[in-house]
Amino acid sequence: MTQRFFDDGTIAYLEQNGCTVVQADLPEGQADGNLSHDELTGALAGAAGWIVGHARVTRELMAALPALEVISRRGVGYDRVDLQAAADLGKVVCIAAGGNDASVADHTIALMLAVGHRFRETQANMVAGNWAILIGRDLFRQTVGIVGLGRIGRSLVQRLSGFDVDILVVDNKRDETFAAANGVAYVDLETLLRESDYVSIHAPLTAETRFMFNAETIAKMKKGAVLINAARGGLVDDRALLDALKSGHLAGAGLDTFLSESDPQTKAVTEELIRLPNVIATPHAAASTREGLDRTNLVAAQCVVAVLDGLTPPAACVVADGRKSAALERN
């Protein structure tokens, strides 16, 4: 395991299922996404299973680890894993589907409320001795646009029901039964941008969705709207977002992910964004509650045990399975 914050219950589960558990000794404040190729190969030498956080799982890395059978992400994103290489090399890649949906949906609501009610600006003023009241905005009876109605998007819909909002959704797949039961209206992206007071992104990062929120699309958002991104940094061109916030086109933003996570050259943009008084920022921490981490730890561990026992994890957890192609090659 190269991720921090692993609970004793999940370690016991792995040991009870015949695994020898080795935790990487990471310095305080360091995540596995900062480990080099050599550090990873050294830590993973001889390992059959790997529970990973944010490390880049490249073809070169997997080729250097012939004993490695399963890579299990403690999370649901897999844009840092070369899935084709995993399949080619006979590896299985899993995600902890369902483990952190509730935590991220809760965090999203928190970002909406914090931006709308101007918590950061108000507290900063109070610390400076200025107790003047800043006028915020309700989430109640607003229009909320959700881009991506997967597990987290659906959890968000359930939480929004108590705010009596109108919900607009953009998703390639339409679940009309869910929509009818939850008062959701499927629309095109342009309609969602034009009509939503809050826009929350919950789409995966792919070649097609990268920078789906750019200067052009952000300009189409309702003036005074709030943008929430608790999905992936590359979905939003943070440079365009910064311009829209500074110009006043957008009222604020709640950000848990940033472009600089994958593109260090944009670090200065991130630093300017998080200094803005109308931005509430967290360091990709939406899923990091005690309960959420315990759930995702266990799902990730269950996937490892299933693969090492020659079984197949739940379909929602498997994003690449190279075992069939490897068996064919052996034959």
Side-chain angles (χ1 to χ4, degrees):
M1 302 180 304
T2 59
Q3 184 61 293
R4 304 173 68 85
F5 310 116
F6 235 83
D7 62 289
D8 292 341
T10 299
I11 293 173
Y13 168 82
L14 287 164
E15 292 175 339
Q16 289 163 7
N17 282 276
C19 297
T20 299
V21 181
V22 179
Q23 291 183 272
D25 185 18
L26 298 177
E28 185 66 30
Q30 184 176 22
D32 61 3
N34 305 123
L35 298 178
S36 68
H37 171 88
D38 289 343
E39 288 172 320
L40 287 169
T41 54
L44 296 165
W50 176 18
I51 297 178
V52 59
H54 295 286
R56 291 199 174 278
V57 187
T58 64
R59 181 180 291 272
E60 180 187 17
L61 178 63
M62 288 183 280
L65 299 167
L68 188 63
E69 298 178 42
V70 54
I71 298 144
S72 190
R73 269 229 63 224
R74 189 187 71 182
V76 295
Y78 47 89
D79 47 284
R80 293 185 170 218
V81 182
D82 187 333
L83 299 183
Q84 185 58 58
D88 293 344
L89 295 168
K91 318 288 189 187
V92 181
V93 180
C94 298
I95 59 173
N100 61 16
D101 306 351
S103 304
V104 178
D106 285 356
H107 196 91
T108 300
I109 293 289
L111 290 174
M112 290 179 177
L113 292 172
V115 176
H117 287 266
R118 302 174 71 177
F119 287 166
R120 176 179 180 177
E121 296 169 83
T122 296
Q123 186 165 347
N125 285 353
M126 291 171 69
V127 169
N130 177 6
W131 284 53
I133 294 173
L134 299 178
I135 304 301
R137 65 188 300 177
D138 283 341
L139 178 55
F140 177 63
R141 290 187 177 172
Q142 299 291 304
T143 298
V144 177
I146 300 175
V147 180
L149 196 62
R151 292 179 298 270
I152 294 170
R154 289 169 182 247
S155 293
L156 178 59
V157 168
Q158 293 170 344
R159 284 153 177 74
L160 286 169
S161 64
F163 292 92
D164 197 20
V165 297
D166 293 323
I167 301 176
L168 306 179
V169 168
V170 168
D171 197 290
N172 291 333
K173 297 179 181 179
R174 294 194 174 203
D175 185 339
E176 300 295 351
T177 301
F178 179 87
N182 292 276
V184 168
Y186 284 102
V187 296
D188 57 71
L189 181 60
E190 191 160 332
T191 299
L192 182 145
L193 297 174
R194 184 179 63 247
E195 298 185 7
S196 297
D197 301 293
Y198 292 83
V199 175
S200 191
I201 310 171
H202 299 284
L205 179 60
T206 65
E208 291 73 29
T209 61
R210 183 171 177 80
F211 290 160
M212 68 183 303
F213 280 80
N214 52 40
E216 182 181 356
T217 49
I218 291 173
K220 293 179 180 178
M221 290 179 65
K222 187 176 184 179
K223 183 171 175 57
V226 171
L227 182 65
I228 307 292
N229 185 11
R232 285 291 180 270
L235 295 166
V236 178
D237 185 340
D238 285 350
R239 295 157 293 200
L241 174 60
L242 179 62
D243 290 342
L245 290 165
K246 291 170 69 174
S247 72
H249 177 65
L250 296 184
L255 305 173
D256 186 50
T257 57
F258 301 88
L259 181 57
S260 58
E261 293 176 67
S262 58
D263 182 1
Q265 293 184 351
T266 62
K267 184 179 179 181
V269 176
T270 297
E271 291 173 345
E272 191 169 357
L273 274 171
I274 65 177
R275 285 195 295 265
L276 292 178
N278 55 343
V279 170
I280 300 290
T282 50
H284 208 144
S288 296
T289 64
R290 186 182 306 276
E291 298 82 2
L293 290 174
D294 287 355
R295 289 191 298 267
T296 50
N297 286 342
L298 184 57
V299 175
Q302 289 170 335
C303 289
V304 167
V305 169
V307 173
L308 297 184
D309 283 346
L311 305 174
T312 300
C317 294
V318 180
V319 292
D321 191 341
R323 290 178 295 184
K324 291 183 180 179
S325 58
L328 288 173
E329 287 184 12
R330 288 194 297 270
N331 293 333

